[in-house]
Structures are given as structure tokens and as C-alpha cells.
Amino acid sequence: MQNNTLKRDILIFPKFKNINKIQEIRNKYDRLANLIAPHITLAFPFSHNMSNEELIRKLTNLLEDFSPFTIVFKGISLSKDNYIFLNCIQGNKEIIQLHNKIYEQILSSHFKNYIKYIPHITLGKTNNIMKLDSFDYEFTTVVDEISIELIGEHEESIIIKKIKLGGYTC
């Protein structure tokens, strides 16, 4: 597989204490539940001939200006195309700022300004959100690292690098 055909993305993997509640819903409604952990997408899947090393360097430099921050997720909504989203109720500003900076400074050729970015965790897809009305949990954690993911041949998640906010690689 040539480097420019690789699909990568940039994600936050939140470390919620009660993340099993999210995974229970994903196991029912998300075909990718066993391939990738619950996540917040900062940069959507992209193909680019930039090497992993260059992407790591650029993202590390960008993240030097960001400090760890708290996120809180609660409540669900349904997108126009029937995706179930777990809503972000705290940390939106920081997540959007990270998203915007990644596209401005690293992936400008991939930015789609006609799509409004709304921080969320995808729980799956359904035609009937009513079944999930009782899903009223709150999820809180501190975001202190960002991951670069390679999307494998079978859509599995392969973490290339985790980078701490403040620019430290793990």
C-alpha cells in the first residue's frame, strides 16, 4: 500500500470512568464498535502524501499551545442522516479550536467549510431514537492527549502516535 492511499484521522479518545455505558450503545448501533474505541473526531479521514513523521511533527508543534481541558458529554441527538450523537455540553470551544487549527495549519487542502463542525461522539445509526430516551448518563474527563490514527484495511483502528497537549509525544 502506497503512503498516499493510507487513510488517517486525528482523534480524541476520552477516558471516561463510565465509558462502558457508551460502548453498550455502540455495540447495538455502531458497526465499527469493535474496531475503534469511542472517540471525538478532530480531523476526518484523509489521504495525504505527508509522512507519518511529518504529521507527528506538525501536530506536536500545534499542540504546544494547548493545555489539558475538561469535557462533559450528556444527552443524545439524531443527525439528519440518522446518526446518534452523544452531545458535548462542556469543552466545545476547545474541541472546535483544535479542529480549526488542525485544518488551518496542517490539513488546509482537506477543509470543507460548508460542513458545520459540531463536537460529538457517534453512538451509531438508527431510525428510532425513541429506544434511547433512557440514555441519560453524564460523561466527564480531562483531555490531555490527541491521537493520530491509521485506518486499517478492514477499518480497524491503528494508533500511530499519541501526543500530549503541550506538545509532548507519548
Side-chain angles (χ1 to χ4, degrees):
M1 193 183 296
Q2 291 185 353
N3 198 34
N4 63 355
T5 62
L6 299 176
K7 285 265 193 194
R8 296 174 286 187
D9 52 17
I10 301 172
L11 310 168
I12 296 170
F13 288 101
K15 298 171 187 150
F16 302 123
K17 285 187 174 78
N18 54 345
I19 203 161
N20 62 312
K21 298 292 184 192
I22 294 172
Q23 195 60 29
E24 286 173 20
I25 297 296
R26 290 183 72 231
N27 287 339
K28 290 180 188 174
Y29 296 100
D30 187 351
R31 67 179 184 81
L32 299 177
N34 294 321
L35 299 173
I36 183 170
H39 61 278
I40 304 157
T41 304
L42 294 172
F44 296 97
F46 60 91
S47 293
H48 198 290
N49 58 7
M50 181 187 316
S51 69
N52 287 336
E53 294 74 20
E54 185 179 357
L55 180 58
I56 291 165
R57 182 181 52 74
K58 287 182 174 192
L59 188 59
T60 300
N61 289 341
L62 183 147
L63 295 177
E64 285 176 359
D65 296 334
F66 288 87
S67 298
F69 60 96
T70 299
I71 57 172
V72 179
F73 281 73
K74 184 175 183 173
I76 56 173
S77 57
L78 196 61
S79 72
K80 285 185 266 190
D81 47 0
N82 292 328
Y83 282 97
I84 310 161
F85 291 161
L86 182 59
N87 302 320
C88 183
I89 61 171
Q90 182 183 333
N92 273 302
K93 185 181 94 182
E94 293 88 345
I95 295 170
I96 290 169
Q97 190 177 24
L98 279 165
H99 165 84
N100 290 344
K101 289 288 186 191
I102 289 167
Y103 278 104
E104 287 169 13
Q105 296 181 21
I106 301 174
L107 298 171
S108 59
S109 63
H110 295 274
F111 183 65
K112 295 174 175 72
N113 63 355
Y114 55 87
I115 298 174
K116 181 176 169 46
Y117 177 72
I118 300 170
H120 66 276
I121 295 172
T122 301
L123 299 177
K125 195 170 185 175
T126 185
N127 292 328
N128 186 358
I129 198 168
M130 302 305 267
K131 294 178 186 174
L132 296 170
D133 275 350
S134 62
F135 192 76
D136 194 33
Y137 301 96
E138 184 170 290
F139 303 90
T140 304
T141 193
V142 172
V143 173
D144 65 351
E145 70 184 17
I146 306 300
S147 297
I148 301 172
E149 176 200 48
L150 172 66
I151 300 169
E153 195 176 317
H154 304 288
E155 298 189 72
E156 71 276 17
S157 174
I158 302 164
I159 303 304
I160 295 170
K161 193 66 154 177
K162 295 178 182 182
I163 304 170
K164 292 282 188 190
L165 296 180
Y168 302 102
T169 58
C170 308

